[in-house]
Structures are given as C-alpha cells and as structure tokens.
Amino acid sequence: MFFNSRRNVYDAGEGPVRHLDGSSLLRPIDPPKPQLIIMGAFVVAAIVIGGVLLFNVLDNVTHSAERAQQSVEQNLARPAAMESLPNLPSLIGLDNEGIKAAFAGAGYIIADKTAMSGGADDGSLDLIKLPSDVSVEQAALMYAQGIPKLSAADATLLLNGSWQFTTTPGDYLNMSVKYADFSSGSVEAAVQTALVSEGLDATTLGEAGVDDSGNTFQTGTVDVGGTIYQWRISAIGLSSVYDVKGLPETAVYVGIRLFQ
C-alpha cells in the first residue's frame, strides 16, 4: 500500500494457532518520510494551481471590460469603409461579372452573401467587402451568428472597413452600398463624408431632410454619359440598426443608392 509497504508478520504462538504481530499498532501513526515528501509536493502543487486559477478568475472579472474596450479601439483604428467605397457611377454599364471583376481588380476581399445564406441566384448581387484581416470563413461564421449577437469587439472587427454592395435586376438601374461610419461623429457629418467619398457633385443637390424612418438624407443627380441618374444618401445611428452593447454612440449606418 502507498502509506505502508510493510508486510503483515505473524507470531507462531502456542500450538497450531497463529496470531498477527500487534507490535505495529504501538508504532507512531505518522506516515513514513518519503510519503510525507510526496504529500507535501502534492499540497504545494495544489496551492500553486489554485492560486493561478484564482488569479485568472479575478483578472478576468476585473479587467475583461478593459480588454474588450482596447480590442474595440484597436479595431476602429484600422482603415475605415469610406476609404475603399466603390464609386457607384463608375459601375454603370457593367454586368454582374464585370462588377465582380472590378472589385477583384481593386484587391478587395469579397464575400458573396447570397452564397453564404444559400439563397437562389435571381440575377441580383449581394457582395460584402471585408476588412483585410477578416477571412471569408470568419465573416461567414459571424453573419451566421447574427451581428446583434456579436460582442462589440467582434462587431467592430467585422464592420469597420467593410461595406455591402447590392444590385437588383430589372430594366432600370438600382444599386447601393451600405456601411458603418465610426469616425464622422454624427449623421449629418456622415452624409457629407459619403458625398465626398463618392465624388458626387455638390452643385446638383436636391431634397434633404429626415424621412419617416428617422434617416437623415440628401438627394441629388449625376450625369453619366449623357444620362441623368438619381442618388440618395441616408444615415441613421448604428444603434438603430444593430443593437450591440459597447459600440460607440456616435457610430452611424450609411446607405448610398444610385438609381433611375
């Protein structure tokens, strides 16, 4: 046995009856020294492991919010979506394959949202330009989970630097790009940032205001090859679209639509 390696010893006694040697019962009950050393090593190891676990638990409880905020700030320090927005007027006249080729030629990492969701091909496009440090597989998992269910760190990782481009089939042009603006600071400023990013002519502005859905908007026209197209920029607080705790309160969701 672990604490007593000594074999039982019998006394012969008188006659054929044999009795156990009871002298061992008179010895001290302290374990042998080698076993004491082993027990001590186990106790020390348990104390060390317990201390490490307790430190990790306390550290997570105390500093998890701080680390999450640091992750959000690091994600927001990356290039913004406005720096890579597709120029919608330049895509006029391109078919779906031509648009995909233009995005590929620009070096964008593109995820096909229709393919990710298993939707049918009806001739429309639903493409997402991803940040350079987010893979298509990683984005697919995040979208499958649902953006409102993501942490602020994961949401900013996915949203900052990405945009969603859509077209709908038909006889008339209808394309749009949507994205999160984390840097403009207000819906009004986000509308102006979008106008400048798209290179739209500020001298052809039309109606502006706030629509029934709470979007701050600006409309206008653009002449492409002698044909006049309408455009509309809409902006609303990101929290109205994605309820993710920990996102900047000044973040804005922006949509730019070009149509006939």
Side-chain angles (χ1 to χ4, degrees):
M1 295 177 65
F2 181 70
F3 289 113
N4 184 13
S5 61
R6 182 179 177 182
R7 297 173 58 84
N8 291 324
V9 179
Y10 292 86
D11 287 332
E14 296 181 359
V17 179
R18 295 172 60 86
H19 302 279
L20 286 172
D21 181 4
S23 62
S24 61
L25 299 176
L26 302 177
R27 293 182 302 139
I29 62 174
D30 297 333
K33 186 175 181 181
Q35 280 73 24
L36 281 175
I37 295 175
I38 295 174
M39 289 176 61
F42 277 122
V43 171
V44 172
I47 292 174
V48 172
I49 294 172
V52 171
L53 292 176
L54 179 61
F55 173 81
N56 288 336
V57 169
L58 293 177
D59 182 65
N60 286 333
V61 172
T62 305
H63 301 292
S64 60
E66 179 181 343
R67 282 194 290 268
Q69 182 59 34
Q70 289 176 348
S71 296
V72 169
E73 293 174 357
Q74 290 173 356
N75 292 335
L76 294 182
R78 299 177 303 161
M82 296 82 74
E83 299 181 22
S84 61
L85 286 181
N87 181 263
L88 297 184
S90 69
L91 301 178
I92 294 175
L94 297 180
D95 60 11
N96 288 355
E97 294 306 315
I99 292 174
K100 291 179 180 180
F103 292 166
Y108 299 149
I109 301 173
I110 297 294
D112 190 328
K113 192 173 182 182
T114 301
M116 287 193 300
S117 62
D121 184 4
D122 60 358
S124 62
L125 281 181
D126 192 349
L127 307 176
I128 299 173
K129 181 266 179 186
L130 300 175
S132 59
D133 53 357
V134 177
S135 67
V136 173
E137 294 76 16
Q138 187 178 5
L141 291 175
M142 290 183 179
Y143 278 108
Q145 183 178 347
I147 293 178
K149 295 183 180 180
L150 298 177
S151 66
D154 285 342
T156 51
L157 177 67
L158 179 63
L159 294 176
N160 189 44
S162 70
W163 40 259
Q164 182 177 2
F165 173 87
T166 58
T167 64
T168 54
D171 295 332
Y172 296 96
L173 177 75
N174 187 13
M175 66 173 64
S176 65
V177 61
K178 301 174 183 178
Y179 60 93
D181 181 340
F182 293 97
S183 57
S184 291
S186 69
V187 291
E188 295 81 8
V191 169
Q192 295 304 311
T193 300
L195 193 151
V196 173
S197 298
E198 279 293 289
L200 297 172
D201 189 352
T203 64
T204 61
L205 300 182
E207 184 183 2
V210 179
D211 63 22
D212 294 339
S213 299
N215 294 284
T216 297
F217 70 91
Q218 174 68 63
T219 65
T221 60
V222 59
D223 185 333
V224 179
T227 302
I228 302 298
Y229 297 89
Q230 307 289 322
W231 57 262
R232 176 187 172 99
I233 299 173
S234 301
I236 195 170
L238 186 62
S239 59
S240 298
V241 181
Y242 299 125
D243 184 16
V244 178
K245 183 179 180 181
L247 292 181
E249 295 181 359
T250 56
V252 181
Y253 189 74
V254 183
I256 307 171
R257 181 181 172 221
L258 184 66
F259 60 98
Q260 280 181 301

